[in-house]
Amino acid sequence: MIERTPILNFFTHLAMLFGLVLAALPIYIVFVASSHDFQTVNQVPMPLLPGDSLVENYTKVWNKSDFGTKFVNSFIVATGVTIGKIAIAAISAFSIVFFNYRLKMFCFWLIFVTLMLPLEVRIVPTYAVAANALSPVQGFLNAVFNAPATLLGLIGVGNLPQVAIALPEWNLLNSYTGLILPLVATATGTFLYRQFFMTIPAELVEAARMDGAGPLRFFRDVLLPLSKTNMAALATIMFVYAWNQYLWPLLITTRPEMTTATMQLQKLVPGPLFGQPPVWNEAMAGTLIVMLPPLLVVIFMQGYFVRGLIAADK
Amino acid sequence: MADITISKVTKSYGKTEVIHGVDLSITHGEFVVILGPSGCGKSTLLRMIAGLEAITGGTIAIGGDVVNDREPRERGCAMVFQNYALYPHFTVAENIGYALKVAGVPKAERQRRIEEVARSVGLETYLDRKPGQLSGGQRQRVAMGRAMIREPKIFLFDEPLSNLDAKLRVQMRLEIRKLHQRLGVTSVFVTHDQVEAMTLADRIVVMNAGMIEQIGTPTEIYERPETLFVAGFIGSPPMNLVEVEIRAPGEAVAANVPLAIPVFPAMAAGTKAILGIRPEQIEIRPGGRHALHADFVEKLGAVQLVHGRFAGVDFIVQCPTSEPVAAGQELRFEINPEMLHLFDPASGARLKRDNLRQHASKAIAA
């Protein structure tokens, strides 16, 4: 579609400009709102040019909300989720693509259907597991050990005593492990990796075998370096995804020193509680602060990101 | 010693058997070319020697040890692949040295051997480049260097020249032959190109449909094809094959054209046979006994190929370009009976003159 038609060029630019305005205008308004003092921002209509309280608002909201601690928490969680997702996705795709075993396709589809079960859908059971990580194991063991008794009870033979196995309680609430682990499994990432691994020529695998490299060596020396752009694309998406997590951290953290930046943001946008008007200038300043890290990640990674998603480079 | 003994090897994918009991022994230092059309199982056989394919039945022994259940790295083979299969993110040096790195050879020693191998394949100035920055011929050399560095007992080549252009192919062919002369390592080379096979091989193994048709030196294969398949496959242009019926001792007829075959005197009248005549062994002679109506003429430079109908089949005669032939004209020629091949139409086996003579003397004695 490379044509030299000035009219078409004009219209494509117009369309792009329209898109840009659509995307950037709200952010501009947020910026303007964050630069005015309390009185100005609550005027109707709100001024559309930046005011002079920018630095004051940002310092105030940073200190008031303890964003220092929240940012550290958010960084730990987002980085942990990103690394975990990449590691799990790469290794499970490696297994699915390069090994032959029974139920291989079944495993793949099992991973794939989890796309239809996002965290929001399975939040209650996930919370139950996070509250006591060993409870599924405990339930399973009890079911197995009591199976004979249950079966006999069904056909009406005797009243055998039931065994009750109690494992120690392992609580993940209010911990980084609890914030990270339930978000680590990723069907999207596994699928992305699988598609990439399938483009690796069979002869390359065979060459490595002839060179004496075992599967893990091949994975480390050949597959991982070759999937660098893939990894960058996945890292970008997943970092933003993890940073923006709201529901899960809200559910499992109760102690203020464990909450994340996104959760804190919600506390900045209160409804007119007790008859007080909302402090929009501070809320908007907080919004821009919280938006910044994912924005920077996307800006720095976008080169890799695009390459990783469109095609395998040579 | 690195001799290879393949006995009764079969290969099946599910219920389909693709290799039907192959027997082959390759002596130490020999250069053997496995030749055959696509899908004949030649690559599968090579990959079974390498250990990349499981062996369904029979055994493969290298240097006397059965290697059926050994990993590729334990068999002492190195392989050059059709698409080179270089690691795209490694430099030339890293590609060549990867096997040593995996084997845990110390860095200094590795470096020394990489340089040595790079020198011998003429890549010493390209060691820091990535495969993407190399030409086809250079990539091929890297692949060969990678195979050489392990000082393997056996070299396996899986159609390594088919991705190169014609000129480079001839050059690399020569280099592979030189390499073999210098190192004297047992080599197995798979190809579908008969010129490659002829020029490289000490012995050629012709395969068809999962079976070996003939094993022999290039000259033997060309001069005495044992089966109809080999006769039709070896030689370019292919051998003319004419169905004949024996009329009398030393005399045959094909579509009302009488042909003299005095070298096969003892065949009974009424026997059917297939007569093979190589286009390049036909003698052009004005006033010759046979005539070919030329349908069209292909000029190849030094020689020309005259296509036409003779004895009821499509027939090719090769003659020097100096011969004045044009489409629509008649070409007179003689067939030298010494240059004829005769095959049994049912089994496709070559009818041997000696056997026929024995047969004849027995018949007379009776």
Side-chain angles (χ1 to χ4, degrees):
Chain A
M1 283 284 282
I2 297 172
E3 290 173 41
R4 288 187 182 278
T5 48
I7 297 169
L8 207 66
N9 274 353
F10 174 76
F11 279 109
T12 42
H13 278 95
L14 203 67
M16 279 180 353
L17 213 62
F18 180 70
L20 184 72
V21 169
L22 213 62
L25 196 64
I27 296 176
Y28 174 74
I29 290 176
V30 168
F31 172 72
V32 171
S34 74
S35 66
H36 287 288
D37 56 27
F38 180 66
Q39 276 75 30
T40 327
V41 86
N42 280 314
Q43 277 171 19
V44 181
M46 196 191 89
L48 283 177
L49 288 173
D52 50 6
S53 312
L54 190 76
V55 181
E56 190 196 321
N57 285 340
Y58 280 83
T59 344
K60 198 170 161 202
V61 78
W62 180 273
N63 294 329
K64 194 172 99 181
S65 301
D66 190 21
F67 268 133
T69 318
K70 316 292 181 208
F71 262 56
V72 170
N73 287 345
S74 273
F75 261 112
I76 291 174
V77 171
T79 317
V81 169
T82 308
I83 293 173
K85 271 184 190 283
I86 289 174
I88 297 254
I91 206 89
S92 45
F94 177 58
S95 146
I96 285 168
V97 175
F98 291 99
F99 294 88
N100 266 318
Y101 48 89
R102 228 178 261 258
L103 299 180
K104 177 168 126 166
M105 280 323 280
F106 178 74
C107 290
F108 173 66
W109 284 110
L110 211 60
I111 295 174
F112 203 72
V113 293
T114 61
L115 268 183
M116 286 176 254
L117 296 170
L119 189 74
E120 289 72 14
V121 175
R122 54 186 163 89
I123 200 140
V124 174
T126 311
Y127 181 83
V129 174
N132 183 6
L134 294 179
S135 62
V137 183
Q138 182 179 322
F140 179 75
L141 287 178
N142 276 316
V144 168
F145 280 106
N146 288 320
T150 316
L151 283 176
L152 288 174
L154 274 180
I155 54 171
V157 183
N159 232 347
L160 285 164
Q162 298 267 326
V163 199
I165 298 162
L167 295 174
E169 197 167 290
W170 182 24
N171 184 333
L172 296 179
L173 305 180
N174 281 313
S175 73
Y176 290 126
T177 322
L179 280 167
I180 293 169
L181 268 189
L183 299 175
V184 151
T186 166
T188 324
T190 309
F191 191 68
L192 204 67
Y193 259 101
R194 172 180 176 264
Q195 295 310 94
F196 169 72
F197 284 163
M198 290 201 323
T199 66
I200 302 272
E203 286 191 332
L204 205 60
V205 185
E206 287 168 356
R209 278 182 79 189
M210 296 301 292
D211 276 343
L216 282 178
R217 185 97 203 209
F218 174 69
F219 182 67
R220 200 187 70 195
D221 286 356
V222 181
L223 287 181
L224 285 187
L226 283 179
S227 64
K228 256 191 307 199
T229 50
N230 217 320
M231 220 182 272
L234 205 57
T236 317
I237 304 174
M238 293 314 171
F239 186 87
V240 175
Y241 163 85
W243 183 274
N244 289 339
Q245 275 304 314
Y246 173 68
L247 187 57
W248 182 247
L250 185 69
L251 208 62
I252 77 155
T253 54
T254 45
R255 302 207 326 258
E257 70 269 24
M258 287 306 294
T259 55
T260 61
T262 326
M263 288 167 68
Q264 187 57 39
L265 195 57
Q266 183 264 341
K267 296 195 179 102
L268 283 177
V269 198
L273 228 63
F274 308 116
Q276 284 184 350
V279 196
W280 281 121
N281 53 344
E282 285 174 20
M284 293 299 116
T287 309
L288 279 187
I289 291 177
V290 175
M291 251 176 67
L292 209 58
L295 195 70
L296 290 178
V297 167
V298 171
I299 288 173
F300 283 121
M301 303 285 262
Q302 67 164 344
Y304 290 106
F305 175 76
V306 173
R307 255 193 293 164
L309 283 186
I310 43 179
D313 60 336
K314 289 197 178 165
Chain B
M1 291 294 281
D3 52 311
I4 307 172
T5 314
I6 298 169
S7 49
K8 300 193 183 60
V9 160
T10 59
K11 172 77 192 175
S12 307
Y13 293 104
K15 284 207 172 94
T16 334
E17 194 174 79
V18 289
I19 305 257
H20 317 286
V22 162
D23 286 291
L24 174 65
S25 24
I26 297 167
T27 55
H28 179 77
E30 199 177 15
F31 199 117
V32 166
V33 174
I34 305 177
L35 176 66
S38 323
C40 72
K42 54 190 194 301
S43 278
T44 310
L45 186 62
L46 188 81
R47 291 158 54 81
M48 284 198 281
I49 300 174
L52 296 172
E53 294 272 0
I55 301 161
T56 310
T59 56
I60 293 181
I62 295 174
D65 301 322
V66 174
V67 295
N68 281 32
D69 297 324
R70 288 205 199 153
E71 275 293 299
R73 61 170 171 272
E74 298 163 338
R75 298 191 185 195
C77 301
M79 188 149 164
V80 179
F81 293 88
Q82 181 176 356
N83 303 323
Y84 324 126
L86 303 177
Y87 309 113
H89 59 300
F90 282 176
T91 62
V92 169
E94 285 167 331
N95 259 293
I96 294 178
Y98 186 59
L100 298 186
K101 191 175 163 192
V102 172
V105 175
K107 202 166 179 200
E109 155 91 359
R110 207 159 74 208
Q111 200 54 38
R112 188 184 60 72
R113 277 168 70 181
I114 290 171
E115 273 163 25
E116 195 182 296
V117 166
R119 235 192 328 278
S120 80
V121 290
L123 282 172
E124 62 268 54
T125 51
Y126 297 97
L127 282 176
D128 293 329
R129 298 233 189 140
K130 295 264 174 77
Q133 299 162 303
L134 300 178
S135 69
Q138 287 164 340
R139 284 183 212 183
Q140 183 64 69
R141 288 209 186 90
V142 178
M144 273 160 59
R146 187 169 67 174
M148 281 162 65
I149 197 157
R150 300 168 51 206
E151 293 165 3
K153 289 190 287 183
I154 293 161
F155 272 128
L156 304 170
F157 297 91
D158 189 5
E159 308 201 23
L161 304 181
S162 34
N163 280 3
L164 300 175
D165 64 58
K167 199 173 162 189
L168 210 53
R169 198 178 306 168
V170 174
Q171 190 191 333
M172 291 307 293
R173 202 165 74 200
L174 212 67
E175 282 184 28
I176 289 178
R177 186 69 220 185
K178 277 185 193 155
L179 180 79
H180 179 254
Q181 266 170 6
R182 189 151 46 88
L183 303 174
V185 176
T186 313
S187 304
V188 185
F189 188 106
V190 159
T191 182
H192 59 262
D193 183 317
Q194 49 173 306
V195 182
E196 264 169 38
M198 288 286 185
T199 48
L200 283 169
D202 292 326
R203 274 196 307 158
I204 295 178
V205 176
V206 184
M207 278 188 76
N208 180 36
M211 285 194 287
I212 291 182
E213 293 273 341
Q214 186 174 0
I215 305 172
T217 64
T219 321
E220 277 167 12
I221 298 258
Y222 178 77
E223 287 182 352
R224 292 179 55 81
E226 289 299 330
T227 65
L228 207 52
F229 173 81
V230 178
F233 190 70
I234 302 286
S236 174
M239 187 186 275
N240 296 302
L241 298 168
V242 185
E243 208 170 304
V244 296
E245 194 184 321
I246 308 295
R247 275 286 157 81
E251 219 183 288
V253 71
N256 295 325
V257 179
L259 295 161
I261 45 169
V263 284
F264 300 92
M267 292 179 76
T271 316
K272 290 241 189 323
I274 289 176
L275 188 67
I277 314 155
R278 289 207 183 276
E280 60 271 31
Q281 292 173 339
I282 288 167
E283 209 181 315
I284 309 296
R285 190 187 293 165
R289 212 177 320 170
H290 304 297
L292 179 80
H293 182 82
D295 287 334
F296 59 94
V297 180
E298 282 181 303
K299 295 199 188 293
L300 303 178
V303 293
Q304 56 187 348
L305 305 177
V306 186
H307 295 254
R309 298 278 295 176
F310 172 71
V313 293
D314 290 324
F315 203 85
I316 305 171
V317 172
Q318 181 178 316
C319 57
T321 308
S322 57
E323 202 70 42
V325 204
Q329 285 181 354
E330 198 171 70
L331 184 70
R332 309 288 307 183
F333 63 93
E334 285 288 343
I335 294 168
N336 182 352
E338 288 296 327
M339 297 296 192
L340 292 179
H341 309 269
L342 215 55
F343 302 94
D344 181 348
S347 67
R350 179 187 187 82
L351 297 172
K352 296 193 174 81
R353 293 166 202 188
D354 307 342
N355 292 357
L356 286 172
R357 256 181 223 128
Q358 270 172 17
H359 205 67
S361 52
K362 264 186 213 153
I364 290 163

